[in-house]
């Protein structure tokens, strides 16, 4: 029996991007005859994202689009916990809804996972033909710097620690979320550190990260401060 994949899409003000990302997921996975569901976790977007999601549910069907909204922004980590409760897949894929993660790479993740039955497969901007498109030099420098410092302090044996495009075996993700303390942007980084602690096997796939087409980046000064604090916390406790 072929495995099923649950794709978690946390959204906040993504009404322009959501129809495109859903269309692309559908296009690539339907062609490859892969069984999937898309779980949309909208955190009270004021721009009408949820209304767009309801239209997509009508177009693609309730077996493919599951709407699991929340009343307000409660953090990325809790969005995944919320979405996972409703997931019926054997594997869970987490990705951004802002088109920075192209769904075509999902097929590479699935192929990589099957090679050695990996517990986790993570996308990397820093191996093979991976990279970043649409960033200026300053943002590339900040990203590289954050990744370098993270590697130096935490030694996770993963080339892209701050990425957020990943595939997990469902029981593995459940275990990792139980062991994680972070709930914001640092959640992704802690997941990889905990995965190494628990001796889970991790595969890497090169991806190209594309800067968001519509809307504004949600990464601000407060997130950077939180990142540094959490990095130091993980360094002290792992």
């Amino acid at each position: 029996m072929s495995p099923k994949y649950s794709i978690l899409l946390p959204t906040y003000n993504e009404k322009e991007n959501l129809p495109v990302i859903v269309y692309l997921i559908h296009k690539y996975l339907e062609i490859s005859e892969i069984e999937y569901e898309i779980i949309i976790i909208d955190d009270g977007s004021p721009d009408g994202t949820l209304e767009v999601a309801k239209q997509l549910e009508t177009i693609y069907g309730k077996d493919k689009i599951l709407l699991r909204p929340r009343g307000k922004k409660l953090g990325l980590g809790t969005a995944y916990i919320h979405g996972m409760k409703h997931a019926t897949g054997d594997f869970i894929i987490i990705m951004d809804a802002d088109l920075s993660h192209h769904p075509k790479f999902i097929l590479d993740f699935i192929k990589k996972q099957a090679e050695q039955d990996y517990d986790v497969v993570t996308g990397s901007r820093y191996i093979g033909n991976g990279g970043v498109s649409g960033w200026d030099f300053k943002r590339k420098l900040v990203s590289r710097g954050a990744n370098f410092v993270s590697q130096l302090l935490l030694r996770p044996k993963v080339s892209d620690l701050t990425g957020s495009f990943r595939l997990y075996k469902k029981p593995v993700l459940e275990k990792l979320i139980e062991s994680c303390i972070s709930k914001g942007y640092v959640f992704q980084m802690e997941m990889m550190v905990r995965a190494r602690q628990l001796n889970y096997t991790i595969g890497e796939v090169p991806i190209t990260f594309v800067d968001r087409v519509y809307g504004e980046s949600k990464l601000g000064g407060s997130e950077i401060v939180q990142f540094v604090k959490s990095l130091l916390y993980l360094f002290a406790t792992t």
Side-chain angles (χ1 to χ4, degrees):
M1 189 174 170
S2 298
K4 182 178 181 180
Y5 298 84
S6 298
I7 300 161
L8 305 189
L9 284 184
T11 57
Y12 187 78
N13 288 350
E14 300 289 0
K15 77 172 182 184
E16 291 100 342
N17 294 317
L18 192 57
V20 184
I21 194 88
V22 168
Y23 164 75
L24 289 171
I25 291 170
H26 176 77
K27 174 187 170 184
Y28 284 97
L29 299 192
E30 282 287 325
I31 287 171
S32 302
E33 298 183 339
I34 290 166
E35 191 180 355
Y36 72 95
E37 63 185 4
I38 301 170
I39 301 173
I40 299 170
I41 308 117
D42 186 64
D43 273 4
S45 298
D47 74 338
T49 298
L50 186 57
E51 284 65 36
V52 170
K54 287 175 181 174
Q55 292 173 3
L56 293 170
E57 182 185 53
T58 303
I59 293 166
Y60 293 98
K62 290 187 178 182
D63 60 324
K64 293 295 184 195
I65 308 289
L66 282 71
L67 305 184
R68 298 295 181 264
R70 304 189 296 176
K72 59 180 180 178
K73 285 184 84 172
L74 296 166
L76 196 58
T78 61
Y80 290 134
I81 293 168
H82 181 70
M84 195 170 59
K85 286 176 186 172
H86 304 282
T88 60
D90 308 285
F91 295 92
I92 293 182
I93 294 167
I94 60 172
M95 62 190 298
D96 294 344
D98 62 4
L99 300 177
S100 55
H101 298 147
H102 199 296
K104 68 182 179 183
F105 293 115
I106 292 174
L107 302 179
D108 296 336
F109 280 61
I110 291 170
K111 183 180 176 185
K112 184 72 178 180
Q113 192 283 325
E115 282 177 12
Q116 294 187 38
D117 193 29
Y118 286 110
D119 296 311
V120 183
V121 177
T122 184
S124 175
R125 296 163 287 185
Y126 305 125
I127 60 168
N129 57 356
V132 174
S133 175
W135 279 8
D136 58 20
F137 177 73
K138 181 184 174 185
R139 193 161 174 200
K140 284 182 180 176
L141 195 64
V142 168
S143 176
R144 280 279 188 182
N147 199 58
F148 175 74
V149 173
S150 304
Q151 297 285 350
L152 196 66
L153 293 178
L154 305 177
R155 303 189 185 282
K157 299 176 185 172
V158 177
S159 64
D160 192 347
L161 195 55
T162 55
S164 56
F165 192 0
R166 294 182 184 144
L167 178 152
Y168 296 88
K169 289 179 178 175
K170 190 181 179 187
V172 169
L173 182 57
E174 288 169 342
K175 181 70 177 172
L176 286 173
I177 283 178
E178 273 177 28
S179 65
C180 282
I181 292 144
S182 313
K183 297 299 177 198
Y185 286 92
V186 192
F187 174 77
Q188 307 289 12
M189 185 169 70
E190 185 177 357
M191 292 282 274
M192 288 297 96
V193 175
R194 303 294 179 199
R196 283 298 183 205
Q197 277 186 325
L198 295 166
N199 294 315
Y200 288 130
T201 54
I202 304 172
E204 292 192 273
V205 168
I207 61 163
T208 304
F209 180 97
V210 180
D211 200 20
R212 62 164 47 246
V213 180
Y214 299 108
E216 296 178 7
S217 171
K218 301 172 183 75
L219 186 64
S222 62
E223 280 77 23
I224 293 168
V225 170
Q226 184 193 5
F227 171 81
V228 173
K229 282 182 180 175
S230 299
L231 181 61
L232 294 173
Y233 168 79
L234 287 175
F235 175 64
T237 58
T238 58

